Amino acid sequence: MGKGIVQKILEKHIVEGKWEPGKEIAIKIDQTLTQDATGTMAYLQFEAMGAPSIKTELSVSYVDHNTVQIGFENADDHKYLQSVAAKYGIIYSRAGNGICHQVHLERFGKPSKTLLGSDSHTPTGGGIGMVAIGAGGLDVAVAMAGGPFYITCPKVIKVNLKGKLKPWCAAKDVVLKMLEIFTTKGNVGCVFEYEGEGVKTLSVPERATITNMGAECGVTTSVFPSDETTKAFLKAQGREKDWTELTADPDAEYFKEIDLDLGEIVPLTAYPHSPGNIKTVKELEGMDVDQVCLGSCTNSSYKDLMTVAKILKGKKAHPNVSFVIAPGSKQVLENIARDGGLTDLIAAGARIAESACGFCIGNSQSPKTDAVTLRTSNRNFLGRSGTKSAQAYLVSPETAAAAVITGKMTDPRDLEKQGFKYPDVQMPKEFYIDDSMFIYPPEHPEHTKIYRGPNIGDPPAALPMPDSITGEVTIKVEDQITTDHIIPAGSKMKYRSNVPKYSEFLFEIVDPNFYERAKKIRDSGKSNIFVAGLSYGQGSSREHAALCPMFMGTKAVIAKSFERIHTANLINFGIIPLTFKNDGDYNKVEQGDNLEIPNVKNVIHDGGALKVKNKTKGTEFEVDYNLSDRQREIILAGGTLAYMKNKAK
Ligand code: MIC
Ligand code: SF4
């Protein structure tokens, strides 16, 4: 039986287990990336592991999230990251050099390699044929120290692309279509592998847009083959030697296959407040638009920005539209500047933001009250823009450009009626390249002193699992609770290195009284227990959505189902993810109920049924714990760091 590309790459990297979809495997990680918002904690954890230097082929520390620098905190973190990178052999990408995923694709990604990143959009690397996976910072720290990464051997879904995109219809619309088909829940443990005739019609940035936003479906990653287009992209980056061909065997077998005709894709949008809420742009035509944001790791490539620049050439932004651009990287910015695109954008009235995450994470450019904001980014969760009442719609660069001109939601195909021609933007044969914003590790790292400003605190220690968990339901939430609901980013993100302070913002957007309640419960010696619906922990990889609850004394979360990265993060911090055996039992628990999970330690250790007693209601229900042997040991030890220490003894 033949093999698909995901199987080919993974089989070469498996160090424990074998290719058996659904079973846990451990893989070797070739490359890692971190970004500053998850990176400080990841490197503090790396330091705690005591490894003298990194063991990967390549590790890069990017600064792209917290670059607003109001107050000393961001700059303190940057300096810490720079010094840690120098000490342990990591390449440091300075603030201003661009968004980790875009820059990694340009300068470091290699077909057939594995990449682990402390950011959920790491699968962007799948655009050039990498198995690129997002994870919590602690898992990335373990990989840097030479440890393997554990995942469930994926069920591979083949997406057979046919045809060719029509003018004004974009890769973003393709991935929005995938979200319409697969939704944001129920895809844990799967991978999308793109194959078929349509692949060769897509450029690398288009492929990367599609793999980037596969994260919103909850798949482990998405991967494209590595072909002549990939080779041309790497050649244009001066990296032809990094190219290897990667194709699926013609008789490869998959868990599932679907056909997607690119020629039938139309402009789509994800309406508030989930990337899975899909409508055609036509359906929302005429809606007034207050803000248009072009950028983020989904759509900020040279091709994206030049396409918009050419559409807007000689036009002006509608007076009601605030139009902002965040180029994906310094390379993109320099290249569009050299090729005249930047001038056209400035002339059209664009506000040029730094090459960073910026608006996407809501730490700048928050729109006005009740605004309709059109964004080329990947997430439109409630409040993520920084304005709770704003309505964020995710769109392609083409749809964004149309709204800049008209001030309304406009199907970009209709611009042709106004005399516009679809710009045919070709990928440069050679990018202008300047790597001076990378700082490479010194020859004598032993002389490096690690800088620790007052914003850097120690990672809090977890406590081993008690014999029984006695606690109170601090909060009961619905389906599809994202990590943005659990702990906000935006302006609060500067406290990522200060867990006690950051914990004050837990569930802020859902219930502003959460923290005070949780503190009382913790201080009374009880555990905070969370109850949730389906697909708990969607979205980002931020481990603070587990680390801060751990700091608040949470030992268990009971949900109908969990998302992959968040499950791993909970386990890493000694919190047991439990699922209702019968979903109906969700209705038998309320906020404020006193719960007991008797004998939990022995049950996790020995196996058997796990019951939860609702002492307030006088009822009882059963929960499942789907843990590998390794995960059981981690939970019992009180988290991964404690588990590693025990093993080293
Ligand atoms: C995001 O897009 O939500 C983030 C901010 O990039 C996160 C990482 C973080 O919270 O630091 C992600 O996607 O993992
Ligand atoms: Fe940055 Fe937004 Fe991409 Fe997250 S999704 S890495 S915040 S640009």
Side-chain angles (χ1 to χ4, degrees), residues 35-38 65 101 118-121 135 297 357 360-361 378-379 381 384 483-484 489 493 496 502 539-544 565:
Q35 42 90 338
D36 52 315
T38 54
H65 279 63
H101 310 303
S118 63
D119 192 281
S120 64
H121 290 106
C297 56
C357 299
C360 175
I361 196 55
N378 45 40
R379 291 184 175 147
F381 303 144
R384 185 172 160 106
T483 51
D484 277 43
M493 202 162 56
R496 285 283 175 91
Y502 196 37
S540 87
S541 67
R542 70 190 66 142
E543 60 189 357
H544 293 75
I565 306 180

Side-chain angles (χ1 to χ4, degrees), residues 58-127:
L58 171 110
S59 288
V60 190
S61 170
Y62 293 92
V63 176
D64 54 2
H65 279 63
N66 276 321
T67 59
V68 177
Q69 294 178 226
I70 295 177
F72 62 91
E73 291 90 347
N74 296 171
D76 270 10
D77 285 0
H78 301 171
K79 200 72 204 162
Y80 166 73
L81 291 169
Q82 184 177 343
S83 59
V84 163
K87 178 138 190 145
Y88 294 106
I90 297 155
I91 299 172
Y92 180 69
S93 173
R94 304 175 66 177
N97 201 29
I99 305 174
C100 54
H101 310 303
Q102 173 67 27
V103 180
H104 207 84
L105 196 72
E106 291 166 355
R107 306 306 302 141
F108 301 113
K110 289 186 189 173
S112 294
K113 295 278 178 187
T114 52
L115 166 68
L116 193 70
S118 63
D119 192 281
S120 64
H121 290 106
T122 304
T124 312

Side-chain angles (χ1 to χ4, degrees), residues 222-538:
S222 305
V223 190
F224 272 83
S226 168
D227 57 9
E228 288 302 316
T229 307
T230 323
K231 190 179 183 180
F233 174 81
L234 289 174
K235 189 167 177 224
Q237 289 289 344
R239 302 202 288 124
E240 196 180 351
K241 62 172 187 352
D242 289 343
W243 181 75
T244 43
E245 192 175 25
L246 177 67
T247 51
D249 295 334
D251 57 343
E253 279 186 16
Y254 296 89
F255 167 68
K256 200 167 153 182
E257 298 190 24
I258 66 153
D259 287 341
L260 200 63
D261 189 344
L262 295 174
E264 282 176 10
I265 298 289
V266 298
L268 295 173
T269 179
Y271 61 90
H273 295 288
S274 168
N277 295 342
I278 307 296
K279 282 192 174 163
T280 62
V281 170
K282 269 255 170 298
E283 281 175 88
L284 294 168
E285 206 165 50
M287 179 177 65
D288 285 335
V289 172
D290 301 290
Q291 185 190 43
V292 174
C293 304
L294 175 66
S296 93
C297 56
T298 320
N299 277 123
S300 59
S301 66
Y302 173 90
K303 190 168 175 14
D304 290 324
L305 268 57
M306 283 305 279
T307 301
V308 174
K310 287 195 185 252
I311 298 172
L312 296 184
K313 191 176 172 69
K315 303 282 176 241
K316 297 289 172 205
H318 188 279
N320 293 341
V321 174
S322 172
F323 173 38
V324 62
I325 291 177
S329 65
K330 173 175 173 285
Q331 187 191 89
V332 169
L333 183 57
E334 271 188 301
N335 280 272
I336 65 164
R338 283 166 181 263
D339 292 351
L342 183 62
T343 310
D344 294 334
L345 290 165
I346 294 171
R351 301 169 64 183
I352 312 297
E354 194 177 1
S355 293
C357 299
F359 72 81
C360 175
I361 196 55
N363 65 12
S364 55
Q365 299 287 341
S366 296
K368 74 171 186 50
T369 307
D370 299 334
V372 168
T373 170
L374 263 53
R375 300 174 160 233
T376 62
S377 46
N378 45 40
R379 291 184 175 147
N380 57 347
F381 303 144
L382 177 71
R384 185 172 160 106
S385 67
T387 304
K388 194 172 173 185
S389 68
Q391 306 291 311
Y393 293 78
L394 307 177
V395 296
S396 69
E398 287 80 349
T399 302
V404 170
I405 298 165
T406 62
K408 294 187 187 306
M409 185 71 111
T410 306
D411 187 323
R413 293 172 297 179
D414 292 343
L415 289 180
E416 293 213 342
K417 291 179 204 151
Q418 297 176 37
F420 285 84
K421 262 190 74 194
Y422 186 61
D424 179 24
V425 174
Q426 292 302 318
M427 291 289 290
K429 292 257 169 308
E430 220 174 293
F431 287 99
Y432 173 75
I433 295 160
D434 169 13
D435 284 337
S436 60
M437 293 289 273
F438 292 111
I439 301 179
Y440 297 90
E443 234 170 86
H444 293 287
E446 60 279 9
H447 301 316
T448 310
K449 227 181 132 285
I450 294 189
Y451 173 88
R452 287 176 218 278
N455 196 41
I456 303 281
D458 287 333
L463 296 173
M465 187 54 74
D467 294 335
S468 300
I469 298 174
T470 310
E472 187 173 325
V473 179
T474 332
I475 193 157
K476 181 180 174 184
V477 287
E478 315 268 303
D479 291 350
Q480 283 170 276
I481 288 298
T482 71
T483 51
D484 277 43
H485 290 102
I486 302 170
I487 190 113
S491 58
K492 317 292 164 32
M493 202 162 56
K494 67 178 181 182
Y495 298 119
R496 285 283 175 91
S497 316
N498 180 346
V499 172
K501 178 73 192 164
Y502 196 37
S503 298
E504 291 175 19
F505 306 107
L506 273 165
F507 285 107
E508 191 195 37
I509 197 136
V510 183
D511 178 354
N513 300 321
F514 173 89
Y515 175 71
E516 285 310 319
R517 216 165 47 238
K519 200 156 136 291
K520 266 200 201 121
I521 294 173
R522 180 193 62 189
D523 295 348
S524 73
K526 286 193 286 185
S527 172
N528 281 287
I529 299 178
F530 309 158
V531 171
L534 285 169
S535 199
Y536 181 74
Q538 285 191 351

